[in-house]
Amino acid sequence: MTAVTAVAAVRAGAVRVAAVASAGIAVHTVVNARLLRVAPPAGAVAERVSVILPVRDEAARLDGALAALLAARGVPDLEIVVYDDDSTDATGGLLAAWARRDRRIVALHGAGPPPGWLGKPHACARAAAAATGTVLVFVDADVTLAADGLARAVLLLRDSGLDLVSPYPRQVAASPAERLVQPLLAWSWLALLPLRAAERSPRPSLAAAGGQFLCVDAAAYRRAGGHTAVRDQILEDIALLRAVKRSGGRGVVVDGTTLATNRMYDGWAELRDGYAKSLAAAGGHPAASAAQVGLLWWLFVLPAAAAVCGSGAGLAGYLAGVAGRLVAARRTGGRSWPDAAAHPVSVGLLGYLTALSWWRRRRGTATWKGRPVTAAPPRRGPRAGS
């Protein structure tokens, strides 16, 4: 056997293994789609609910977010604690006007995070400290809740017996870049996370949550240390769930398709900067990120490339990847076709964004809303005897 023949045989074997693995992942996606917890029908919540809304430069979105929250049905005892994190636009004035009109809104204002903190964990911690509800619901300003979405999320938390649930909103993706990348979020946890095991296991690797919409028992939140325990974490949502698990609680991502909608990024520039902020943190280490990207490329890009060259196994692997994307999209209310057909392109673009995230982190140029995405170290107090 010549060297060329040997290389071709190895490549063909890699494609066949990738095709089989992709088919298995597609089947797992179907299973998870059936296991995904769904909120009960609308009903009344018989406890005080505190909605935590951290905002920074959200003048364009604040009105819509607050209007939807105030229109919530089935939550008679509601407070909305909004923390304005040193906004530079009209957010502060708009918030003050809303607070004057409706007593359910508690308006807080801050001058930015102290050393050792990132902005969002600090805003959430300050707002949660002022909240008086037995349930805390964290939402972002780019999330629009359905009229019964808040009540159903709280009822799901209580009915499930979990300490934290993270309803995944229906994602709105308009631009080509959003349509390529955003569906990977829902696909990733539906395809790769064993949902029922994730509920029970304290393992950090089995944790998925979205800070856009997160519902947690107030006592469990405080027992876990709240956002103080994740003060310097870029992915504070996943870190908070891990803290809850470490303190003996349980939690998982759940279906929020009918509870809320969310347009996380508006166009390529916002999407690029958002992922460049977070993907390095998701990997934890350059080698780990490289291994994750390499595995995804092997499973979903290699078969597509082989299919173009006439490989039947490659075509089967490509179709399995597309099938998994279709299942995830239809289960979470996303756009399914023809977007799913571009799954290999989506995975390839994710690799680029991961590399960009590490590049910016190493250069110290990763920012979000005008701030660096790494917390400044806390100031040291005077030494003993000084």
Side-chain angles (χ1 to χ4, degrees), residues 235 275-298 347-348 350-359 361-362:
L235 299 175
Y275 278 87
K277 164 180 68 74
S278 60
L279 283 175
H285 188 277
S289 290
Q292 292 165 4
V293 169
L295 179 62
L296 291 175
W297 282 20
W298 170 53
V347 173
L350 180 68
Y352 162 74
L353 292 169
T354 301
L356 177 65
S357 183
W358 278 110
W359 173 258
R361 171 173 283 202
R362 289 299 179 89

Side-chain angles (χ1 to χ4, degrees), residues 54-67:
V55 293
R56 174 171 166 81
D57 294 343
E58 296 287 6
R61 293 166 167 159
L62 184 62
D63 286 344
L66 286 176

Side-chain angles (χ1 to χ4, degrees), residues 210-253:
Q212 309 128 304
F213 188 10
L214 192 150
C215 186
V216 59
D217 175 76
Y221 172 83
R222 296 187 175 102
R223 188 167 58 246
H227 280 84
T228 301
V230 299
R231 62 174 69 88
D232 59 351
Q233 296 296 302
I234 296 170
L235 299 175
E236 87 294 331
D237 41 16
I238 297 175
L240 180 63
L241 174 54
R242 289 172 177 170
V244 168
K245 288 188 172 190
R246 283 195 302 271
S247 65
R250 297 186 302 141
V252 76
V253 65

